[in-house]
Amino acid sequence: MAGKTITEKILEKASGRKVEVGELIVANIDFAMAHDGTGPLAIKSFREMGAEKVWDSKKIVLAIDHVAPSASEGTSNLQKLLRNFAFEQNIENFYDVGCGIGHQLMVENHVLPGMLIVGADSHTCTYGALGAFATGIGSTEMAAVFKTGKLWFKVPETVRYNISGNIPANITAKDIILYIAGEVKADGATYKAIDFSGDVVKELSVNGRLTLCNMAVEIGAKTGIVEPDNKTMSYIEAIRGKINFQVVKNDKDAYFEEVYEFDISNLEPQIACPPTVDNVKSVSEIEGLEVDQVFLGSCTNGRVEDLEVAARILKGEKINRKTRMIVVPASRRVYLEALKKGLMEIFVEAGCTVCNPGCGPCVGAHQGVPAEGEIVLSTANRNFVGRMGCDKADIYLCSPITAAASAIKGKIVEYKCS
């Protein structure tokens, strides 16, 4: 009999029994996260179930991040509901306006290898970069988790994405995952766990791995996951100090439903064209398209590493007079580190607008809703019609490098300097 994958091992531990691919199980949840966009409905459903107390106030994370600060009275009322619930239930891990994106806060403060985590947001799969099984669920499912601390799962098949080759200059994890999305398409890994592996994944920083796993859902996956290594341990220790936890790894003879090979040695900078994430081309193919707005941030590319690479390009430069650029750090920790490194000064001097930590323009509710007919270049993860708040604006997805270089020129360009 073949060995087990990380995903199967985590689900076995959480369910307390042996599991097989395809079967339904009930598993214990280590952490559950909801935000101002999904939390209110989860709370409403929690009440309708007749529940009075959450199963564990220390294992629930609530974040006001999607429209932070609020842009309307209606949003304010929903956020007030979330606050009141957090205080009523004595939820310790409540993050109010300005703390940052829930996903980034989870990575910084809560996620550990081997955990089973659910979030009422599809990009919960980000946490797989630390070797956890993390997946998005609906608000009503979250209500059941709030009440019981358990949820049912269908054990997914695991596919391995083996990424090899020498990483070309100015190629980032964002270029790599966009390229993969273009190759396998939006339904390429539906309800599967993607095991990101290979020499390239080992070479990537944990921040880069977070970008890979963040966009696993864009190709239909249940989750993305990276086997923990020394980089994982160092990352956790640097942020949170020494913590005892059990690392879960693939068995040497683990069975993968399929193994995909991606050699990125000759990869050019990639861009996802509207209206889908899998409509991917090389930047050189659409070079010259004028851009009205550039967005640097989101749970995909709003970390210090992303801000640093953009700042290096923007230093001493100015944003094109016909283009505006919005920069949104992923968390307060990221914001503070960027301040200490002088990155914010570079952005402001270049003409960027720097906003408080949060989801910002990505969700399309405030802080940069485009006008009809405008072209937006974004480092976020989705570009479907209306994603950023205007259904008549076109959104292109790219890396922080392409975003910064294009903001200076006022048009989409491939950055070629070393």
Side-chain angles (χ1 to χ4, degrees):
M1 181 177 291
K4 298 287 187 178
T5 65
I6 300 173
T7 289
E8 291 156 11
K9 287 183 175 182
I10 292 174
L11 292 178
E12 284 189 342
K13 178 186 174 185
S15 62
R17 67 178 182 84
K18 296 293 183 182
V19 304
E20 298 294 335
V21 169
E23 73 172 317
L24 299 178
I25 62 168
V26 175
N28 295 307
I29 304 301
D30 289 304
F31 270 105
M33 189 280 293
H35 52 63
D36 49 321
T38 57
L41 179 55
I43 293 167
K44 179 176 182 290
S45 299
F46 178 82
R47 305 289 194 203
E48 290 173 350
M49 291 176 182
E52 296 181 357
K53 286 287 184 183
V54 297
W55 106 95
D56 191 331
S57 61
K58 296 179 180 179
K59 293 185 176 182
I60 293 173
V61 177
L62 299 177
I64 293 180
D65 63 359
H66 268 51
V67 191
S70 172
S72 68
E73 180 182 348
T75 298
S76 295
N77 288 333
L78 291 174
Q79 293 180 353
K80 181 181 179 180
L81 187 156
L82 200 66
R83 289 189 186 97
N84 289 344
F85 183 78
F87 299 141
E88 169 204 310
Q89 296 291 328
N90 194 31
I91 292 173
E92 296 181 6
N93 303 308
F94 170 63
Y95 299 95
D96 213 323
V97 173
C99 291
I101 303 171
H103 300 311
Q104 182 66 18
L105 295 168
M106 286 295 295
V107 170
E108 292 176 355
N109 301 291
H110 307 294
V111 179
L112 291 173
M115 282 185 170
L116 173 58
I117 304 174
V118 293
D121 186 281
S122 57
H123 293 103
T124 300
C125 52
T126 305
Y127 323 153
L130 298 185
F133 181 91
T135 192
I137 62 174
S139 293
T140 50
E141 288 178 303
M142 184 57 75
V145 174
F146 281 0
K147 181 179 179 180
T148 67
K150 301 177 185 292
L151 191 65
W152 70 272
F153 296 87
K154 179 182 177 183
V155 180
E157 297 164 317
T158 300
V159 293
R160 169 161 277 182
Y161 283 13
N162 189 54
I163 309 173
S164 62
N166 296 314
I167 304 176
N170 302 318
I171 292 297
T172 70
K174 183 63 166 290
D175 297 294
I176 295 170
I177 193 61
L178 287 178
Y179 167 69
I180 291 174
E183 291 294 302
V184 305
K185 299 305 178 185
D187 59 353
T190 300
Y191 208 93
K192 301 182 193 303
I194 299 175
D195 184 287
F196 290 105
S197 66
D199 293 339
V200 168
V201 176
K202 291 177 182 177
E203 186 176 342
L204 287 176
S205 66
V206 171
N207 286 317
R209 298 171 187 181
L210 287 164
T211 299
L212 288 184
C213 290
N214 174 270
M215 292 192 66
V217 69
E218 308 307 334
I219 45 182
K222 185 71 173 172
T223 194
I225 201 161
V226 176
E227 185 170 274
D229 58 11
N230 289 336
K231 284 186 178 180
T232 316
M233 307 304 117
S234 297
Y235 179 89
I236 294 169
E237 185 173 336
I239 294 180
R240 299 167 60 187
K242 288 189 176 294
I243 302 175
N244 293 323
F245 53 87
Q246 183 179 356
V247 174
V248 179
K249 296 194 174 187
N250 293 309
D251 287 335
K252 290 184 178 180
D253 60 342
Y255 173 75
F256 298 97
E257 184 213 12
E258 197 163 354
V259 177
Y260 295 82
E261 300 288 344
F262 300 97
D263 185 339
I264 57 103
S265 297
N266 298 312
L267 188 65
E268 296 179 29
Q270 302 288 289
I271 191 163
C273 304
T276 58
V277 177
D278 58 1
N279 183 20
V280 178
K281 299 179 181 179
S282 295
V283 171
S284 60
E285 293 182 65
I286 60 167
E287 202 163 21
L289 180 66
E290 292 189 355
V291 175
D292 298 290
Q293 179 171 300
V294 176
F295 169 45
L296 172 62
S298 82
C299 58
T300 316
N301 284 125
R303 288 171 276 277
V304 174
E305 189 175 290
D306 304 306
L307 302 186
E308 278 183 318
V309 71
R312 282 200 296 271
I313 296 170
L314 289 166
K315 189 172 184 178
E317 301 284 352
K318 294 289 184 183
I319 302 304
N320 187 278
R321 63 188 299 268
K322 292 186 177 181
T323 302
R324 55 196 183 273
M325 182 170 180
I326 300 168
V327 180
V328 184
S331 72
R332 183 171 288 158
R333 177 189 289 271
V334 171
Y335 199 121
L336 286 170
E337 188 173 343
L339 281 171
K340 292 174 183 176
K341 289 176 176 285
L343 306 184
M344 294 312 185
E345 185 177 351
I346 292 172
F347 291 134
V348 173
E349 288 182 344
C352 301
T353 298
V354 179
C355 297
N356 59 277
C359 296
C362 178
V363 72
H366 71 151
Q367 292 182 329
V369 175
E372 292 184 9
E374 288 196 318
I375 303 295
V376 180
L377 191 58
S378 168
T379 63
N381 44 45
R382 286 185 174 158
N383 63 341
F384 55 73
V385 174
R387 170 65 179 180
M388 295 183 72
C390 176
D391 61 6
K392 291 183 175 60
D394 286 333
I395 304 166
Y396 292 77
L397 305 178
C398 69
S399 75
I401 292 176
T402 300
S406 300
I408 295 168
K409 297 296 185 182
K411 56 187 177 182
I412 294 174
V413 294
E414 180 181 346
Y415 183 73
K416 294 181 179 179
C417 297
S418 58

